[in-house]
Amino acid sequence: MSIGDQLEGFFLLQDAYAKTTMGGKPFLSMVLSDCTGTIDAQIWDYTGPITPKDDGAVVKIRGTVSEFKGTLQITVDRLRLADSNDQYNISDLVPTAPIDVEATWQKLQEIVDTIEDQDYMVICKEMLSRFGEKVKNIPAAKSIHHSFLNGLLMHTTYMLQTADFLAGMYESVIDRSLLIAGTLLHDFAKCEEFTTSPLGLVTDYSKKGQLLGHLVMGAHEVANVASEMHVPEEKSVLLQHLILSHHGEPEFGAAVQPMCAESELLSFVDMIDSRMEIYRETLEEVPAGEFSKRIFALDRRIYHHN
């Protein structure tokens, strides 16, 4: 898009915020997206019918590309919800993971099948039977990284491959079965933490997601499954610990700090994969030889070298 472009078409309403100008006039601030990315948009002197409750819906807009503080945005003139008579391709609107979904899903299962400890294996298999389809399809986040369909599958499988390699390198201190099980299950509760749109993208956090978070919810679910499967308490507690500590430090959302080698390694594997994905997504939009804008999750700009 270039400044001054006139456009009309369908977008995903990723976020909407009802606001008021300094002069007291209402307007709707939006984040619109399609499979190529996101852009901010505003429609002035607007009171509805579209509201923040329509987050995740498909909208049709007519507007003009403008600029604000060096960033492109859309000034919208007309806005409405898409209806059943409209013709558009969902695949043009919803970003999806840059992976072969079925091959990646098979890879995940192949790694899980190599878990030698039968107690950890039985927990993983039961959790996959309960949550596997959601894990395969949902995003891994609302915005920061892997926020596209099949994002959680991509994130989890890449982490499993990294964890598998590092478990071999540090086999003298790592219980591979525990590490692989914790890596598989570390984000499973995002299935219940998020609320999603009809198209499958994350629109908000559920009540339990906000009050408890996926670390606590995930540890609780694992504890229940371990009890049902008569897994020894020590193994159940260790697996719960990996889930509760995988964000590394309390300031990054960890319920507890890592206190065993497997939890320490899992927290680094999670950070590696999430940060590399942030780089990948950012560098796609930054020309070679230039710096990005400041990235909130990294608290810095990054350079796209030739």
Side-chain angles (χ1 to χ4, degrees), residues 5 8 11 37 66 100 118 154 162 166 195 217 219 247 260:
D5 284 354
E8 181 174 339
F11 292 86
S66 55
D100 181 322
Q118 291 304 302
M154 177 180 172
T162 304
L166 293 175
T195 57
M217 294 163 66
H247 283 183
C260 62

Side-chain angles (χ1 to χ4, degrees), residues 197-266:
S197 71
L199 300 183
L201 294 181
V202 179
T203 57
D204 206 343
Y205 293 86
S206 66
K207 183 184 294 185
K208 287 180 65 176
Q210 294 180 68
L211 293 175
L212 300 176
H214 69 278
L215 281 74
V216 172
M217 294 163 66
H220 184 259
E221 188 66 30
V222 163
N224 288 339
V225 170
S227 177
E228 293 171 15
M229 301 299 168
H230 307 291
V231 171
E233 183 180 17
E234 171 83 359
K235 292 181 179 180
S236 172
V237 170
L238 284 172
L239 194 48
Q240 292 175 61
H241 173 67
L242 261 67
I243 294 171
L244 290 169
S245 64
H246 78 263
H247 283 183
E249 299 292 338
E251 57 262 39
F252 301 134
V256 292
Q257 289 182 310
M259 299 179 71
C260 62
E262 295 81 6
S263 59
E264 184 89 20
L265 192 53
L266 174 57

